[in-house]
PDB file of all heavy atoms in Angstrom:
ATOM      1  N   LEU A 103     122.575 117.679  37.379  1.00 90.00           N
ATOM      2  CA  LEU A 103     123.043 116.316  37.642  1.00 90.00           C
ATOM      3  C   LEU A 103     123.399 116.151  39.118  1.00 90.00           C
ATOM      4  O   LEU A 103     123.071 115.140  39.734  1.00 90.00           O
ATOM      5  CB  LEU A 103     124.245 115.996  36.759  1.00 90.00           C
ATOM      6  CG  LEU A 103     124.816 114.587  36.857  1.00 90.00           C
ATOM      7  CD1 LEU A 103     123.761 113.551  36.485  1.00 90.00           C
ATOM      8  CD2 LEU A 103     126.039 114.455  35.960  1.00 90.00           C
ATOM      9  N   LYS A 104     124.052 117.148  39.691  1.00 91.00           N
ATOM     10  CA  LYS A 104     124.393 117.108  41.117  1.00 91.00           C
ATOM     11  C   LYS A 104     123.130 117.057  41.972  1.00 91.00           C
ATOM     12  O   LYS A 104     123.046 116.276  42.928  1.00 91.00           O
ATOM     13  CB  LYS A 104     125.235 118.322  41.496  1.00 91.00           C
ATOM     14  CG  LYS A 104     125.683 118.316  42.943  1.00 91.00           C
ATOM     15  CD  LYS A 104     126.486 119.551  43.277  1.00 91.00           C
ATOM     16  CE  LYS A 104     126.972 119.596  44.694  1.00 91.00           C
ATOM     17  NZ  LYS A 104     126.050 119.265  45.721  1.00 91.00           N
ATOM     18  N   SER A 105     122.123 117.861  41.636  1.00 91.00           N
ATOM     19  CA  SER A 105     120.862 117.847  42.387  1.00 91.00           C
ATOM     20  C   SER A 105     120.181 116.482  42.303  1.00 91.00           C
ATOM     21  O   SER A 105     119.673 115.967  43.299  1.00 91.00           O
ATOM     22  CB  SER A 105     119.907 118.918  41.855  1.00 91.00           C
ATOM     23  OG  SER A 105     120.423 120.189  42.081  1.00 91.00           O
ATOM     24  N   LEU A 106     120.175 115.908  41.103  1.00 91.00           N
ATOM     25  CA  LEU A 106     119.560 114.595  40.917  1.00 91.00           C
ATOM     26  C   LEU A 106     120.315 113.523  41.691  1.00 91.00           C
ATOM     27  O   LEU A 106     119.708 112.679  42.359  1.00 91.00           O
ATOM     28  CB  LEU A 106     119.512 114.242  39.427  1.00 91.00           C
ATOM     29  CG  LEU A 106     118.871 112.921  39.061  1.00 91.00           C
ATOM     30  CD1 LEU A 106     117.421 112.860  39.544  1.00 91.00           C
ATOM     31  CD2 LEU A 106     118.948 112.682  37.564  1.00 91.00           C
ATOM     32  N   ARG A 107     121.631 113.555  41.642  1.00 91.00           N
ATOM     33  CA  ARG A 107     122.426 112.580  42.383  1.00 91.00           C
ATOM     34  C   ARG A 107     122.214 112.733  43.887  1.00 91.00           C
ATOM     35  O   ARG A 107     122.151 111.737  44.618  1.00 91.00           O
ATOM     36  CB  ARG A 107     123.911 112.710  42.045  1.00 91.00           C
ATOM     37  CG  ARG A 107     124.219 112.245  40.623  1.00 91.00           C
ATOM     38  CD  ARG A 107     125.699 112.289  40.297  1.00 91.00           C
ATOM     39  NE  ARG A 107     126.348 111.164  40.950  1.00 91.00           N
ATOM     40  CZ  ARG A 107     127.425 111.269  41.720  1.00 91.00           C
ATOM     41  NH1 ARG A 107     127.976 112.432  41.953  1.00 91.00           N
ATOM     42  NH2 ARG A 107     127.950 110.208  42.269  1.00 91.00           N
ATOM     43  N   ASP A 108     122.111 113.970  44.367  1.00 92.00           N
ATOM     44  CA  ASP A 108     121.836 114.192  45.792  1.00 92.00           C
ATOM     45  C   ASP A 108     120.496 113.583  46.197  1.00 92.00           C
ATOM     46  O   ASP A 108     120.375 112.963  47.257  1.00 92.00           O
ATOM     47  CB  ASP A 108     121.843 115.688  46.120  1.00 92.00           C
ATOM     48  CG  ASP A 108     123.238 116.278  46.127  1.00 92.00           C
ATOM     49  OD1 ASP A 108     124.221 115.510  46.126  1.00 92.00           O
ATOM     50  OD2 ASP A 108     123.344 117.527  46.113  1.00 92.00           O
ATOM     51  N   ALA A 109     119.471 113.775  45.348  1.00 91.00           N
ATOM     52  CA  ALA A 109     118.143 113.224  45.647  1.00 91.00           C
ATOM     53  C   ALA A 109     118.180 111.696  45.667  1.00 91.00           C
ATOM     54  O   ALA A 109     117.598 111.058  46.555  1.00 91.00           O
ATOM     55  CB  ALA A 109     117.128 113.722  44.623  1.00 91.00           C
ATOM     56  N   VAL A 110     118.851 111.093  44.699  1.00 90.00           N
ATOM     57  CA  VAL A 110     118.955 109.629  44.642  1.00 90.00           C
ATOM     58  C   VAL A 110     119.748 109.104  45.836  1.00 90.00           C
ATOM     59  O   VAL A 110     119.389 108.087  46.438  1.00 90.00           O
ATOM     60  CB  VAL A 110     119.581 109.180  43.302  1.00 90.00           C
ATOM     61  CG1 VAL A 110     119.889 107.698  43.306  1.00 90.00           C
ATOM     62  CG2 VAL A 110     118.641 109.515  42.151  1.00 90.00           C
ATOM     63  N   ALA A 111     120.820 109.808  46.219  1.00 89.00           N
ATOM     64  CA  ALA A 111     121.604 109.396  47.390  1.00 89.00           C
ATOM     65  C   ALA A 111     120.751 109.481  48.650  1.00 89.00           C
ATOM     66  O   ALA A 111     120.841 108.618  49.531  1.00 89.00           O
ATOM     67  CB  ALA A 111     122.844 110.274  47.533  1.00 89.00           C
ATOM     68  N   HIS A 112     119.911 110.495  48.732  1.00 89.00           N
ATOM     69  CA  HIS A 112     119.028 110.640  49.887  1.00 89.00           C
ATOM     70  C   HIS A 112     118.066 109.454  49.976  1.00 89.00           C
ATOM     71  O   HIS A 112     117.846 108.905  51.055  1.00 89.00           O
ATOM     72  CB  HIS A 112     118.256 111.959  49.776  1.00 89.00           C
ATOM     73  CG  HIS A 112     117.358 112.225  50.927  1.00 89.00           C
ATOM     74  ND1 HIS A 112     117.829 112.577  52.174  1.00 89.00           N
ATOM     75  CD2 HIS A 112     116.006 112.167  51.038  1.00 89.00           C
ATOM     76  CE1 HIS A 112     116.815 112.723  52.992  1.00 89.00           C
ATOM     77  NE2 HIS A 112     115.702 112.478  52.331  1.00 89.00           N
ATOM     78  N   ILE A 113     117.514 109.053  48.842  1.00 87.00           N
ATOM     79  CA  ILE A 113     116.606 107.890  48.822  1.00 87.00           C
ATOM     80  C   ILE A 113     117.356 106.636  49.258  1.00 87.00           C
ATOM     81  O   ILE A 113     116.882 105.876  50.103  1.00 87.00           O
ATOM     82  CB  ILE A 113     115.994 107.696  47.420  1.00 87.00           C
ATOM     83  CG1 ILE A 113     115.033 108.838  47.098  1.00 87.00           C
ATOM     84  CG2 ILE A 113     115.286 106.349  47.311  1.00 87.00           C
ATOM     85  CD1 ILE A 113     114.583 108.885  45.662  1.00 87.00           C
ATOM     86  N   SER A 114     118.533 106.431  48.687  1.00 84.00           N
ATOM     87  CA  SER A 114     119.326 105.246  49.025  1.00 84.00           C
ATOM     88  C   SER A 114     119.653 105.211  50.517  1.00 84.00           C
ATOM     89  O   SER A 114     119.437 104.196  51.190  1.00 84.00           O
ATOM     90  CB  SER A 114     120.614 105.242  48.202  1.00 84.00           C
ATOM     91  OG  SER A 114     121.446 104.178  48.596  1.00 84.00           O
ATOM     92  N   ASN A 115     120.150 106.323  51.034  1.00 83.00           N
ATOM     93  CA  ASN A 115     120.498 106.383  52.457  1.00 83.00           C
ATOM     94  C   ASN A 115     119.275 106.192  53.341  1.00 83.00           C
ATOM     95  O   ASN A 115     119.338 105.518  54.361  1.00 83.00           O
ATOM     96  CB  ASN A 115     121.178 107.715  52.784  1.00 83.00           C
ATOM     97  CG  ASN A 115     122.538 107.835  52.142  1.00 83.00           C
ATOM     98  OD1 ASN A 115     123.154 106.843  51.782  1.00 83.00           O
ATOM     99  ND2 ASN A 115     122.997 109.052  51.965  1.00 83.00           N
ATOM    100  N   HIS A 116     118.164 106.802  52.956  1.00 83.00           N
ATOM    101  CA  HIS A 116     116.939 106.689  53.755  1.00 83.00           C
ATOM    102  C   HIS A 116     116.465 105.237  53.826  1.00 83.00           C
ATOM    103  O   HIS A 116     116.042 104.762  54.880  1.00 83.00           O
ATOM    104  CB  HIS A 116     115.850 107.586  53.175  1.00 83.00           C
ATOM    105  CG  HIS A 116     114.597 107.584  53.972  1.00 83.00           C
ATOM    106  ND1 HIS A 116     114.524 108.152  55.232  1.00 83.00           N
ATOM    107  CD2 HIS A 116     113.374 107.065  53.718  1.00 83.00           C
ATOM    108  CE1 HIS A 116     113.301 107.989  55.701  1.00 83.00           C
ATOM    109  NE2 HIS A 116     112.590 107.327  54.811  1.00 83.00           N
ATOM    110  N   MET A 117     116.545 104.511  52.722  1.00 80.00           N
ATOM    111  CA  MET A 117     116.106 103.111  52.722  1.00 80.00           C
ATOM    112  C   MET A 117     117.025 102.261  53.595  1.00 80.00           C
ATOM    113  O   MET A 117     116.569 101.408  54.338  1.00 80.00           O
ATOM    114  CB  MET A 117     116.081 102.546  51.300  1.00 80.00           C
ATOM    115  CG  MET A 117     114.994 103.118  50.424  1.00 80.00           C
ATOM    116  SD  MET A 117     113.340 102.828  51.074  1.00 80.00           S
ATOM    117  CE  MET A 117     112.823 104.478  51.395  1.00 80.00           C
ATOM    118  N   HIS A 118     118.336 102.518  53.533  1.00 74.00           N
ATOM    119  CA  HIS A 118     119.259 101.757  54.378  1.00 74.00           C
ATOM    120  C   HIS A 118     119.023 102.058  55.853  1.00 74.00           C
ATOM    121  O   HIS A 118     118.984 101.147  56.681  1.00 74.00           O
ATOM    122  CB  HIS A 118     120.715 102.057  54.005  1.00 74.00           C
ATOM    123  CG  HIS A 118     121.136 101.495  52.696  1.00 74.00           C
ATOM    124  ND1 HIS A 118     121.132 100.150  52.417  1.00 74.00           N
ATOM    125  CD2 HIS A 118     121.564 102.095  51.559  1.00 74.00           C
ATOM    126  CE1 HIS A 118     121.540  99.939  51.188  1.00 74.00           C
ATOM    127  NE2 HIS A 118     121.803 101.111  50.641  1.00 74.00           N
ATOM    128  N   VAL A 119     118.865 103.322  56.191  1.00 77.00           N
ATOM    129  CA  VAL A 119     118.639 103.705  57.588  1.00 77.00           C
ATOM    130  C   VAL A 119     117.303 103.158  58.075  1.00 77.00           C
ATOM    131  O   VAL A 119     117.201 102.638  59.186  1.00 77.00           O
ATOM    132  CB  VAL A 119     118.699 105.244  57.745  1.00 77.00           C
ATOM    133  CG1 VAL A 119     118.179 105.678  59.100  1.00 77.00           C
ATOM    134  CG2 VAL A 119     120.112 105.732  57.540  1.00 77.00           C
ATOM    135  N   THR A 120     116.264 103.265  57.247  1.00 75.00           N
ATOM    136  CA  THR A 120     114.941 102.767  57.628  1.00 75.00           C
ATOM    137  C   THR A 120     114.989 101.270  57.876  1.00 75.00           C
ATOM    138  O   THR A 120     114.407 100.775  58.847  1.00 75.00           O
ATOM    139  CB  THR A 120     113.909 103.086  56.530  1.00 75.00           C
ATOM    140  OG1 THR A 120     113.851 104.499  56.355  1.00 75.00           O
ATOM    141  CG2 THR A 120     112.532 102.571  56.888  1.00 75.00           C
ATOM    142  N   THR A 121     115.675 100.553  57.019  1.00 70.00           N
ATOM    143  CA  THR A 121     115.785  99.108  57.190  1.00 70.00           C
ATOM    144  C   THR A 121     116.446  98.774  58.520  1.00 70.00           C
ATOM    145  O   THR A 121     115.954  97.939  59.281  1.00 70.00           O
ATOM    146  CB  THR A 121     116.602  98.497  56.034  1.00 70.00           C
ATOM    147  OG1 THR A 121     115.929  98.788  54.811  1.00 70.00           O
ATOM    148  CG2 THR A 121     116.743  97.004  56.183  1.00 70.00           C
ATOM    149  N   LYS A 122     117.562  99.430  58.825  1.00 71.00           N
ATOM    150  CA  LYS A 122     118.270  99.148  60.074  1.00 71.00           C
ATOM    151  C   LYS A 122     117.504  99.630  61.292  1.00 71.00           C
ATOM    152  O   LYS A 122     117.461  98.968  62.320  1.00 71.00           O
ATOM    153  CB  LYS A 122     119.656  99.801  60.039  1.00 71.00           C
ATOM    154  CG  LYS A 122     120.598  99.123  59.081  1.00 71.00           C
ATOM    155  CD  LYS A 122     121.938  99.801  59.035  1.00 71.00           C
ATOM    156  CE  LYS A 122     122.827  99.123  58.009  1.00 71.00           C
ATOM    157  NZ  LYS A 122     124.089  99.822  57.845  1.00 71.00           N
ATOM    158  N   LEU A 123     116.890 100.785  61.171  1.00 72.00           N
ATOM    159  CA  LEU A 123     116.184 101.391  62.297  1.00 72.00           C
ATOM    160  C   LEU A 123     114.967 100.574  62.717  1.00 72.00           C
ATOM    161  O   LEU A 123     114.714 100.370  63.898  1.00 72.00           O
ATOM    162  CB  LEU A 123     115.752 102.813  61.934  1.00 72.00           C
ATOM    163  CG  LEU A 123     115.124 103.655  63.022  1.00 72.00           C
ATOM    164  CD1 LEU A 123     116.140 103.924  64.122  1.00 72.00           C
ATOM    165  CD2 LEU A 123     114.638 104.968  62.442  1.00 72.00           C
ATOM    166  N   HIS A 124     114.222 100.079  61.746  1.00 71.00           N
ATOM    167  CA  HIS A 124     112.972  99.390  62.053  1.00 71.00           C
ATOM    168  C   HIS A 124     113.108  97.872  62.000  1.00 71.00           C
ATOM    169  O   HIS A 124     112.113  97.162  62.010  1.00 71.00           O
ATOM    170  CB  HIS A 124     111.874  99.842  61.089  1.00 71.00           C
ATOM    171  CG  HIS A 124     111.567 101.293  61.214  1.00 71.00           C
ATOM    172  ND1 HIS A 124     111.033 101.845  62.355  1.00 71.00           N
ATOM    173  CD2 HIS A 124     111.733 102.317  60.354  1.00 71.00           C
ATOM    174  CE1 HIS A 124     110.885 103.137  62.185  1.00 71.00           C
ATOM    175  NE2 HIS A 124     111.307 103.460  60.988  1.00 71.00           N
ATOM    176  N   ASP A 125     114.333  97.395  61.962  1.00 66.00           N
ATOM    177  CA  ASP A 125     114.575  95.963  61.839  1.00 66.00           C
ATOM    178  C   ASP A 125     113.913  95.167  62.959  1.00 66.00           C
ATOM    179  O   ASP A 125     113.312  94.137  62.731  1.00 66.00           O
ATOM    180  CB  ASP A 125     116.080  95.698  61.816  1.00 66.00           C
ATOM    181  CG  ASP A 125     116.425  94.373  61.194  1.00 66.00           C
ATOM    182  OD1 ASP A 125     115.595  93.860  60.426  1.00 66.00           O
ATOM    183  OD2 ASP A 125     117.516  93.860  61.466  1.00 66.00           O
TER     184      ASP A 125
END
Side-chain angles (χ1 to χ4, degrees):
L103 183 60
K104 183 181 181 314
S105 295
L106 181 59
R107 290 183 76 231
D108 287 347
V110 171
H112 182 72
I113 292 169
S114 175
N115 292 339
H116 183 69
M117 290 300 115
H118 289 299
V119 168
T120 300
T121 300
K122 289 178 183 175
L123 186 65
H124 297 295
D125 201 22

